[in-house]
Amino acid sequence: MSSLSRELVFLILQFLDEEKFKETVHKLEQESGFFFNMKYFEDQVQAGEWDEVERYLSGFTKVEDNRYSMKIFFEIRKQKYLEALDRDDRPKAVEILVKDLKVFASFNEDLFKEITQLLTLDNFRNNEQLSKYGDTKSARNIMLVELKKLIEANPLFRDKLTLPAFKASRLRTLINQSLNWQHQLCKNPRPNPDIKTLFTDHSCALSNGTRGPPTNNVPLAGPVPKPGVFHPLGGHGLFQPVVSPPPSAIAGWMSSPNPSIPHAAVAAASPGLIQASSSAAFLKHPRTPGGPGMEYQTADSEHLLKRLRSGQPDEVSFSGSTHLPNIYSPDDLPKTVVRSLSQGSNVMSMDFHPLQQTILLVGTNVGDISIWEVGSRERLALKTFKVWDISACSMSFQTTLVKDATISVNRCAWGPDGSILGVAFSKHIVQIYTYNPAGELGQHLEIDAHVGGVNDIAFAHPNKQLCIVTCGDDKTIKVWDAVSGRRQYTFEGHEAPVYSVCPHYKENIQFIFSTAIDGKIKAWLYDSLGSRVDYDAPGLWCTTMAYSADGTRLFSCGTSKDGESHLVEWNESEGAIKRTYSGFRKRSLGVVQFDTTRNHFLAAGDEFQIKFWDMDNTNMLTYTDGDGGLPASPRLRFNKEGSLLAVTTSDNGIKVLANIDGQRMLRMLETRALDGARGYSEVVNAKPAIAGALGPIANVSASAPLVVERTDRMPQSMSLGNLATLDGSRAADVKPRIDTTEKIKSWKFADITDSSQLKTLKLPDSLTASKIVRLLYTNSGLAVLALASNAVHKLWKWQRNERNPTGKSSATSVPQLWQPTNGALMSNDVNDAKPADDPVACIALSKNDSYVMSASGGKVSLFNMMTFKVMTTFMPPPPAATYLAFHPQDNNIIAIGMEDSTIQIYNVRVDEVKTKLKGHQKRISGLAFSQSLNVLVSSGADAQLCAWIIDGWEKKMSRPIQAPPGHQTPLVGETKVQFHNNQTHLLVVHESQIAVYDAQLECLRAWYPRDSLSAPVSSGIYSCDGLLVFAGFCDGAVGIFDAESLSLRCRIAPSAYIPASVSSSGNTFPVVIAAHPSDGSQFGLGMSDGAVHVMEPCDGDAKWGGGTTTTVSQENGIPSSSQPLETPSR
């Protein structure tokens, strides 16, 4: 066989392995004889599959080939013979002797006679040479060691024990290249060819429907047409991807627990209880997982991304296990030291606030807890350890304290919404504090939880009730009511102190994983039926477990007593280790800690460094030493966005590392702090009620006296996507006490009627003018992207120059309408059955601005922003997509609003609609996620709002938007929604109003068109800092409102930016409005005539409406110079 043919076999082997054709893979290995899979051979020997063992070997060698081969076959057949004797199966032993071992008699007759004589013994172990023969399993393992040595020494196996090195999905890549080359040779290349088959050469059809000449007739001389862009052969093409269904990790064994049935019977529930397509449930096969064996290379998720970044042309995506590229890169990891905090004692545990991305909770080895605002480097709270009520504690705890008063924090953690926090101590107790954004800590619960140390604490929501989960040295796991402190469950079954707990849920089933210091992993339901699994963790010592943020992938990290560390991903459907990550020191100094972020990266502290891994790659991705000073095994914790990473230092401190997003967030915090120092006055004169997961504090049981300790002040924390204001983001129940005689300053709204009163720029456009239906800034702020009604995208990029040294978008610097060098347009697929000016269009941009997902009534397209080429298309109409929103924790999950009024939750990686949400009567016009509320809010052309719980996608509530006063009939028409940076207030925009709603979809305040802004509202959006609302109107005017009160700050008349020649020719107005991602005063307008304008205040005005101020009396909290607000009744 030629060298190329041999290599083709290797490519086919890789393809079959990626497609999970396991039996076929091994059959081809055996028949070709090119690759001996030692892992498969070992598995078959250990399983005693002797016929398969010899069949597989026969593809590589025969008994008579050489002395190594003869010895290999002899050892296998001898083992088979001894096992038959051990089973006392004499007839089988005689058969093996005659058929299998007699062949060796001609080479060593004495040996054959000695083997034959074993038949005469009652126990062959009476033979001196076999006296040390143990059980079958150990004998097979001993034989395997010998067989491996023989195989490695056998020259017939030379160069057959390892696979050649080549990239993942290589066969697919070659097919992609072939299809692209065929398309280059087309006489009439179409921009979006539809590949139906690989059986014949590709040729684009002519415009009249006929086919072009065969590609093999096309001469290779002369210029080659530029390649078009193919639809991928995948989910909608020839080859459907072979993708395992989402693992029903707990579904099978938890479906219908029955106390009368043993655990094994529960695990092996009837097929009706388990999805037919699913693998066995995670807890179905209790066994100790073996280490991962040799596997073929799997798809490299970064390969396409790297190719795009390097500027190489896109290829056809030949689907299968190849997915859309991840949009993350190592640059997204926080590796730059931006803050150093001095804690003063050894840090034992850290946790970032779930909502306020720069608030860090810290526990130490002397029992202290601190709360840090890492942006300002300020310690907001410090609590030294003390027992709140010693009389309520057990005598054993009191005795322990008398003998040794030292105590350490083992674990501290925030509750799910950040309104409470829990601390687990090294002796007996846990303490629960209440916390709110006003900076108050309150003693809530003190629980004498375990005998000995409390090793871990976590929060869970079984039965939709907040609970506290603890574990301890007394070998138990306990669950406590988070309000009353009453114990609800005690789980017993571990034989060693329990080291960690990991509560989770799957398919609405709540459960807890626990690990003990003997390496045992167990899982528990919230019942009294005992543990469901019993696995061994790698290392058999201290192990912690954690899910990825989206809850789909399970990891564990631990260290053995000998210092060997193990970071692994678990295959939940099998209960086995899926992959083991390499890169640890051979002997770690201390127990290695780890964390996950962005559903894509892992990090662990080892060897005086922080090491990072891509979840899909077992090799270490990169590392950082944090500029030195880290302990041997530093502790670490990401914030929820993954933009900051806190790590412990050897000098009792903490370093905070940041990526570019984190650095930008901290810079904005510093800027805001400076602004606040100039003009911030304390307005909160009353203590706010403590609310949150526990409800109002009045409902809290008096198990511990309420002792509220106010810190000096609590600067508002923020994240890059959560830049709430100092004044505007206070919790809704914080009501400032206002003296009616107090004088305050209030803005009069400015009326801008001339272009000299603002900075405005109409962006240059040489393309065909068509109504702008979608408009957005890139996340970097360097460009503006518009989608027109003719399905064409337009991208304007600003260049660095003397007037604009940063290259950021500006109304004083003219950008370039950017296109690739080949002049290609970025055009959506269109639905010929729909009118060209139909406004059904949607668009979403990746976080790194590399890709844009878009639709204009046809298929949804994914474009490369550098080349303008279509990477893939999906979701062909009907129905058409009308709105796109990325899941906040997983960019592979997209909520897609549809024209038929449904919302499809779509996984782009596996090309699968996970679920459809039904609750609207007309097409979807808006979607907004709130990570803190764990909801998706949708709006439609029916003027309805619906809230969906992200976990399980159940409808939480729905209601129509509030009609203006005097409006009798229910409202209809396009309705848009957007969450404020505080993630709790919702901006609702309808032609009849601009309104702010709360988490219960109750209208807090509304503004209705009137006076100088009497035309219907066309669009509206929050400014990036959450201080303003920008709104467009159907007469061409623009209104700028205060986000907190919805009072009008500034009106921009059409005459200020629309030329008279344009305004006289018809009604031109802003169809869509976009806010700059980092400049709170800049916005863009997409116009009905196809123009795009960028606007900023004049240089003399730092903010919109900054021209005049007036001092007025405050009446009912509304400045008399502002327009009155209509606050609807509840």
Side-chain angles (χ1 to χ4, degrees):
M1 183 177 286
S2 69
S3 175
L4 288 180
S5 298
R6 179 186 176 91
E7 290 182 2
L8 178 59
V9 172
F10 284 119
L11 295 179
I12 295 172
L13 283 172
Q14 183 196 55
F15 173 81
L16 292 172
D17 184 72
E18 290 173 346
E19 295 299 312
K20 311 301 182 186
F21 294 107
K22 295 297 185 183
E23 292 184 6
T24 310
V25 168
H26 302 311
K27 187 171 180 63
L28 181 56
E29 290 168 350
Q30 182 262 330
E31 289 186 346
S32 67
F34 290 162
F35 173 66
F36 185 84
N37 191 328
M38 186 68 80
K39 178 63 170 60
Y40 176 71
F41 179 75
E42 291 175 8
D43 290 343
Q44 298 305 306
V45 169
Q46 289 175 331
E49 299 292 340
W50 304 117
D51 291 342
E52 174 59 17
V53 168
E54 290 210 19
R55 187 198 67 80
Y56 191 73
L57 271 173
S58 68
F60 302 88
T61 185
K62 300 290 187 293
V63 174
E64 62 274 15
D65 281 345
N66 56 44
R67 60 191 180 92
Y68 299 101
S69 299
M70 182 178 298
K71 179 67 171 172
I72 290 170
F73 280 93
F74 175 76
E75 291 296 331
I76 292 170
R77 294 175 182 181
K78 182 186 74 173
Q79 179 64 29
K80 183 168 61 169
Y81 175 69
L82 293 177
E83 287 183 18
L85 290 175
D86 207 25
R87 296 192 306 269
D88 202 25
D89 189 351
R90 297 303 172 109
K92 184 64 177 179
V94 171
E95 179 185 342
I96 295 170
L97 185 67
V98 174
K99 290 185 177 181
D100 297 329
L101 290 172
K102 191 173 183 179
V103 67
F104 300 103
S106 58
F107 301 100
N108 192 333
E109 188 173 355
D110 291 338
L111 178 61
F112 180 73
K113 288 181 180 179
E114 186 176 357
I115 290 174
T116 303
Q117 289 174 359
L118 296 177
L119 287 169
T120 63
L121 301 177
D122 293 334
N123 186 338
F124 64 81
R125 293 177 180 80
N126 294 332
N127 183 291
E128 184 178 355
Q129 297 182 28
L130 297 174
S131 60
K132 294 184 179 180
Y133 185 98
D135 59 9
T136 298
K137 182 178 179 180
S138 61
R140 289 175 181 175
N141 288 332
I142 293 171
M143 179 187 65
L144 258 178
V145 175
E146 180 67 13
L147 290 180
K148 289 176 68 174
K149 292 179 180 178
L150 291 169
I151 290 171
E152 291 169 357
N154 195 329
L156 294 176
F157 289 82
R158 189 172 299 143
D159 301 326
K160 296 182 179 181
L161 298 178
T162 57
L163 279 171
F166 50 94
K167 292 184 177 180
S169 304
R170 180 61 184 162
L171 184 59
R172 301 177 187 280
T173 302
L174 292 174
I175 293 174
N176 294 340
Q177 293 171 348
S178 172
L179 292 173
N180 277 283
W181 180 248
Q182 292 174 33
H183 187 60
Q184 288 177 3
L185 300 180
C186 287
K187 286 190 174 180
N188 301 282
R190 300 178 64 184
N192 293 294
D194 195 6
I195 305 300
K196 297 293 187 183
T197 181
L198 297 177
F199 295 153
T200 58
D201 287 348
H202 162 71
S203 179
C204 291
L206 300 176
S207 58
N208 62 2
T210 61
R211 301 287 295 181
T215 56
N216 54 3
N217 294 331
V218 178
L220 297 180
V224 177
K226 294 178 180 178
V229 183
F230 287 79
H231 295 291
L233 299 177
H236 304 289
L238 179 64
F239 288 84
Q240 295 294 331
V242 180
V243 180
S244 299
S248 302
I250 315 296
W253 54 273
M254 293 192 191
S255 298
S256 180
N258 188 336
S260 64
I261 303 177
H263 296 315
V266 175
S270 65
L273 298 179
I274 305 174
Q275 295 293 330
S277 61
S278 175
S279 304
F282 179 27
L283 309 177
K284 186 173 178 180
H285 305 293
R287 67 172 186 271
T288 302
M294 194 289 302
E295 295 182 357
Y296 292 99
Q297 299 178 35
T298 55
D300 182 0
S301 60
E302 294 294 332
H303 174 62
L304 179 58
L305 181 60
K306 292 176 181 176
R307 189 175 74 242
L308 295 173
R309 284 179 175 165
S310 63
Q312 299 179 28
D314 290 39
E315 296 178 337
V316 181
S317 176
F318 177 64
S319 181
S321 60
T322 304
H323 305 301
L324 294 180
N326 282 301
I327 62 172
Y328 296 118
S329 75
D331 295 337
D332 295 318
L333 290 167
K335 294 186 291 183
T336 303
V337 177
V338 292
R339 296 288 187 273
S340 292
L341 310 175
S342 178
Q343 178 62 39
S345 50
N346 189 21
V347 176
M348 302 299 293
S349 179
M350 300 179 292
D351 195 23
F352 273 100
H353 193 279
L355 306 182
Q356 297 171 294
Q357 298 294 307
T358 57
I359 299 297
L360 180 65
L361 172 65
V362 178
T364 74
N365 66 334
V366 295
D368 296 345
I369 62 166
S370 298
I371 297 177
W372 290 88
E373 164 52 70
V374 300
S376 63
R377 301 178 178 87
E378 182 177 5
R379 178 150 40 191
L380 305 175
L382 171 63
K383 295 288 184 183
T384 57
F385 174 75
K386 64 179 180 180
V387 180
W388 298 344
D389 185 0
I390 191 67
S391 63
C393 297
S394 64
M395 287 304 300
S396 61
F397 177 43
Q398 296 183 41
T399 302
T400 300
L401 278 183
V402 170
K403 290 181 179 179
D404 183 6
T406 60
I407 198 163
S408 170
V409 172
N410 280 343
R411 181 86 160 87
C412 56
W414 290 101
D417 65 355
S419 63
I420 61 173
L421 61 91
V423 188
F425 291 96
S426 58
K427 294 175 182 174
H428 285 251
I429 67 169
V430 297
Q431 291 180 344
I432 310 299
Y433 288 89
T434 56
Y435 171 90
N436 68 20
E440 294 179 338
L441 283 174
Q443 296 178 4
H444 173 50
L445 290 173
E446 184 174 68
I447 304 172
D448 192 339
H450 295 270
V451 178
V454 185
N455 297 321
D456 202 1
I457 185 171
F459 293 89
H461 275 100
N463 305 317
K464 300 182 179 180
Q465 179 184 7
L466 183 64
C467 292
I468 304 161
V469 182
T470 63
C471 65
D473 289 343
D474 57 5
K475 307 176 186 178
T476 65
I477 301 99
K478 297 181 181 180
V479 181
W480 315 83
D481 185 283
V483 174
S484 65
R486 181 178 58 86
R487 188 176 66 198
Q488 296 180 326
Y489 301 98
T490 299
F491 300 130
E492 298 178 334
H494 277 291
E495 298 177 357
V498 185
Y499 182 74
S500 70
V501 288
C502 178
H504 196 58
Y505 57 90
K506 284 250 182 198
E507 300 175 5
N508 297 322
I509 299 174
Q510 302 274 347
F511 56 94
I512 303 170
F513 279 117
S514 61
T515 69
I517 63 172
D518 60 358
K520 291 296 182 183
I521 299 175
K522 295 180 182 291
W524 317 80
L525 287 175
Y526 291 89
D527 56 25
S528 302
L529 301 181
S531 68
R532 270 24 183 216
V533 300
D534 187 353
Y535 293 137
D536 287 335
L540 300 178
W541 201 42
C542 298
T543 297
T544 55
M545 305 185 79
Y547 276 89
S548 57
D550 60 5
T552 61
R553 302 176 70 172
L554 177 62
F555 303 90
S556 72
C557 182
T559 303
S560 71
K561 293 181 179 178
D562 296 328
E564 293 186 1
S565 294
H566 306 267
L567 177 60
V568 302
E569 180 179 6
W570 290 85
N571 184 333
E572 291 182 275
S573 61
E574 295 292 336
I577 293 173
K578 183 177 182 180
R579 54 172 59 89
T580 300
Y581 299 91
S582 61
F584 285 104
R585 179 191 179 112
K586 290 187 177 180
R587 291 291 183 268
S588 299
L589 303 176
V591 178
V592 169
Q593 306 292 314
F594 88 116
D595 200 5
T596 72
T597 186
R598 296 192 174 210
N599 300 313
H600 192 72
F601 296 116
L602 300 166
D606 178 53
E607 209 170 354
F608 305 94
Q609 300 169 340
I610 303 300
K611 299 178 178 180
F612 300 95
W613 289 263
D614 184 312
M615 288 182 178
D616 297 323
N617 194 325
T618 57
N619 296 321
M620 188 172 68
L621 180 65
T622 185
Y623 68 92
T624 180
D625 64 357
D627 297 341
L630 304 187
S633 298
R635 303 176 190 276
L636 71 162
R637 181 67 63 186
F638 286 102
N639 69 348
K640 296 304 180 285
E641 289 183 346
S643 58
L644 300 178
L645 174 64
V647 300
T648 58
T649 64
S650 55
D651 59 353
N652 296 334
I654 301 165
K655 287 186 177 181
V656 179
L657 285 62
N659 61 11
I660 294 175
D661 288 346
Q663 295 175 55
R664 186 185 303 131
M665 176 174 63
L666 295 180
R667 283 196 300 270
M668 296 178 76
L669 269 171
E670 290 172 346
T671 302
R672 296 279 298 283
L674 290 174
D675 292 343
R678 297 188 188 104
Y680 178 72
S681 61
E682 182 63 61
V683 296
V684 181
N685 299 318
K687 291 184 178 180
I690 298 175
L694 303 178
I697 201 66
N699 296 333
V700 176
S701 171
S703 56
L706 179 64
V707 181
V708 177
E709 297 187 16
R710 177 84 179 246
T711 54
D712 294 339
R713 62 189 180 90
M714 178 67 186
Q716 181 66 31
S717 177
M718 65 183 81
S719 71
L720 190 66
N722 207 17
L723 295 170
T725 67
L726 284 168
D727 298 321
S729 64
R730 292 190 299 270
D733 57 355
V734 180
K735 304 295 184 184
R737 177 171 55 83
I738 299 176
D739 191 340
T740 57
T741 63
E742 182 184 5
K743 302 293 184 180
I744 67 168
K745 285 188 175 182
S746 174
W747 296 107
K748 274 185 178 178
F749 80 85
D751 197 12
I752 296 176
T753 59
D754 188 79
S755 59
S756 62
Q757 297 174 278
L758 79 168
K759 291 187 289 187
T760 178
L761 174 67
K762 180 182 177 182
L763 305 188
D765 188 357
S766 58
L767 300 178
T768 304
S770 184
K771 179 170 67 175
I772 304 299
V773 292
R774 295 291 181 263
L775 184 72
L776 48 82
Y777 283 87
T778 58
N779 295 295
S780 64
L782 301 175
V784 167
L785 178 65
L787 174 59
S789 59
N790 62 359
V792 174
H793 300 77
K794 300 177 183 181
L795 179 67
W796 287 272
K797 290 186 178 181
W798 273 259
Q799 306 298 320
R800 287 186 173 88
N801 52 44
E802 292 182 0
R803 296 190 63 186
N804 186 18
T806 64
K808 292 290 180 79
S809 60
S810 169
T812 59
S813 178
V814 179
Q816 174 190 4
L817 180 60
W818 193 87
Q819 286 181 272
T821 54
N822 60 10
L825 294 177
M826 191 157 52
S827 300
N828 275 335
D829 175 65
V830 295
N831 187 350
D832 296 334
K834 283 197 163 293
D837 61 348
D838 192 285
V840 177
C842 47
I843 192 168
L845 188 63
S846 67
K847 284 188 176 180
N848 62 359
D849 298 333
S850 295
Y851 311 100
V852 63
M853 194 169 289
S854 181
S856 296
K859 298 177 184 177
V860 179
S861 300
L862 180 68
F863 291 95
N864 182 332
M865 286 280 282
M866 294 298 296
T867 63
F868 280 15
K869 290 184 177 180
V870 178
M871 296 173 59
T872 187
T873 59
F874 55 93
M875 305 289 287
T882 58
Y883 205 92
L884 299 169
F886 284 103
H887 192 287
Q889 294 178 311
D890 187 352
N891 277 327
N892 294 309
I893 303 296
I894 305 175
I896 306 178
M898 308 300 291
E899 195 173 24
D900 66 353
S901 78
T902 64
I903 302 164
Q904 300 196 14
I905 307 302
Y906 178 75
N907 189 319
V908 295
R909 293 199 64 152
V910 299
D911 188 22
E912 181 180 352
V913 175
K914 295 297 185 183
T915 187
K916 288 186 180 181
L917 312 180
K918 298 181 179 179
H920 289 274
Q921 282 71 51
K922 295 189 177 182
R923 70 183 180 195
I924 305 301
S925 55
L927 296 169
F929 280 98
S930 171
Q931 188 170 346
S932 63
L933 298 177
N934 199 37
V935 299
L936 167 68
V937 173
S938 60
S939 60
D942 54 3
Q944 296 276 332
L945 302 177
C946 292
W948 313 85
I949 300 174
I950 295 176
D951 302 331
W953 300 109
E954 296 178 0
K955 184 197 279 189
K956 183 179 180 181
M957 65 187 74
S958 66
R959 62 193 59 192
I961 65 173
Q962 184 89 26
H967 195 283
Q968 301 300 322
T969 60
L971 296 176
V972 293
E974 300 279 334
T975 308
K976 300 293 177 61
V977 288
Q978 179 196 7
F979 271 104
H980 188 271
N981 296 332
N982 61 21
Q983 293 283 288
T984 56
H985 289 169
L986 182 75
L987 178 66
V988 177
V989 179
H990 183 265
E991 63 178 9
S992 68
Q993 64 189 271
I994 302 166
V996 175
Y997 282 66
D998 65 10
Q1000 301 302 316
L1001 300 187
E1002 295 283 356
C1003 186
L1004 300 177
R1005 63 193 70 88
W1007 182 93
Y1008 306 113
R1010 59 183 176 274
D1011 302 333
S1012 60
L1013 290 175
S1014 58
V1017 181
S1018 61
S1019 60
I1021 193 170
Y1022 277 120
S1023 61
C1024 67
D1025 56 12
L1027 293 174
L1028 303 174
V1029 173
F1030 303 124
F1033 293 82
C1034 291
D1035 62 355
V1038 177
I1040 301 173
F1041 300 83
D1042 181 83
E1044 178 72 9
S1045 63
L1046 287 187
S1047 57
L1048 182 62
R1049 291 180 66 112
C1050 178
R1051 171 185 175 271
I1052 302 174
S1055 59
Y1057 71 99
I1058 301 176
S1061 59
V1062 175
S1063 59
S1064 62
S1065 61
N1067 183 23
T1068 301
F1069 66 95
V1071 177
V1072 61
I1073 193 164
H1076 192 281
S1078 58
D1079 184 345
S1081 296
Q1082 186 185 135
F1083 60 89
L1085 301 175
M1087 307 297 292
S1088 58
D1089 65 349
V1092 175
H1093 297 266
V1094 171
M1095 293 186 179
E1096 296 175 299
C1098 285
D1099 292 330
D1101 299 325
K1103 301 290 183 183
W1104 291 105
T1108 59
T1109 62
T1110 181
T1111 303
V1112 295
S1113 295
Q1114 183 84 355
E1115 295 180 8
N1116 301 323
I1118 301 176
S1120 58
S1121 65
S1122 300
Q1123 299 184 46
L1125 299 178
E1126 293 84 355
T1127 302
S1129 58
R1130 301 298 179 93

